[in-house]
Amino acid sequence: MIALIQRVTQARVEVNGETIGQIGKGLLVLLGVEKEDDRAKADKLAEKVLNYRIFSDENDKMNLNVQQAGGALLVVSQFTLAADTQKGLRPSFSKGADPALANELYEYFSQKCAEKIPVENGCFAADMQVSLTNDGPVTFWLRV
């Protein structure tokens, strides 16, 4: 399971011109699910995302997590994160989970995080437009 997290001052996801998820300060989480992923991996990744210390403390050091910083999450399903890009000029998606598993784990991950902080979501398998203001810029690729 993969999360590309970006520290943001704001982020929004639209489908057909309508905003379906929006946050202010927090993390945009682009979530990729691979074939071998399960709820245990989703639990580990949720714990890591919620506790990853990438927000500034009073000394301007990256020492606070999104919970301590009073932030929220915008979680967007991103199957392209599971792409194999090692060979050729076209990505292979053979490592990606089938849509049913990917959707189940996407929803599960979001629910686990929502137990701790506010969470907004994209729309699984929709054509989405995501806009954000990356704060820093600060971006990390997390994998469990």
Side-chain angles (χ1 to χ4, degrees):
M1 190 165 249
I2 303 162
L4 181 73
I5 61 172
Q6 298 180 71
R7 188 179 72 186
V8 299
T9 57
Q10 66 82 30
R12 178 177 77 236
V13 62
E14 296 179 356
V15 174
N16 296 325
E18 179 183 335
T19 299
I20 62 166
Q22 184 172 348
I23 64 168
K25 178 181 177 179
L27 296 174
L28 171 62
V29 180
L30 302 176
L31 188 69
V33 181
E34 296 176 297
K35 284 181 180 177
E36 70 278 359
D37 291 339
D38 56 22
R39 287 183 175 219
K41 286 188 177 184
D43 287 339
K44 283 183 183 179
L45 188 59
E47 188 71 19
K48 193 164 191 175
V49 167
L50 290 170
N51 291 292
Y52 213 64
R53 300 180 331 173
I54 60 173
F55 289 85
S56 297
D57 64 13
E58 65 279 354
N59 297 316
D60 207 29
K61 301 282 186 206
M62 278 193 204
N63 210 20
L64 302 177
N65 63 46
V66 66
Q67 299 172 89
Q68 295 166 321
L73 299 183
L74 175 57
V75 182
V76 176
S77 177
Q78 182 76 44
F79 80 95
T80 60
L81 288 175
D84 181 354
T85 59
Q86 297 300 308
K87 295 181 184 176
L89 299 175
R90 184 173 185 206
S92 168
F93 298 104
S94 61
K95 293 181 181 180
D98 68 74
L101 176 62
N103 187 39
E104 175 195 333
L105 293 178
Y106 167 73
E107 289 180 4
Y108 179 79
F109 174 88
S110 294
Q111 291 168 356
K112 290 300 283 186
C113 292
E115 293 173 4
K116 305 282 186 175
I117 62 172
V119 174
E120 294 279 320
N121 292 96
C123 181
F124 185 82
D127 182 18
M128 296 175 277
Q129 288 69 51
V130 180
S131 61
L132 66 133
T133 304
N134 190 316
D135 182 19
V138 174
T139 303
F140 293 94
W141 190 74
L142 306 178
R143 183 179 199 142
V144 295

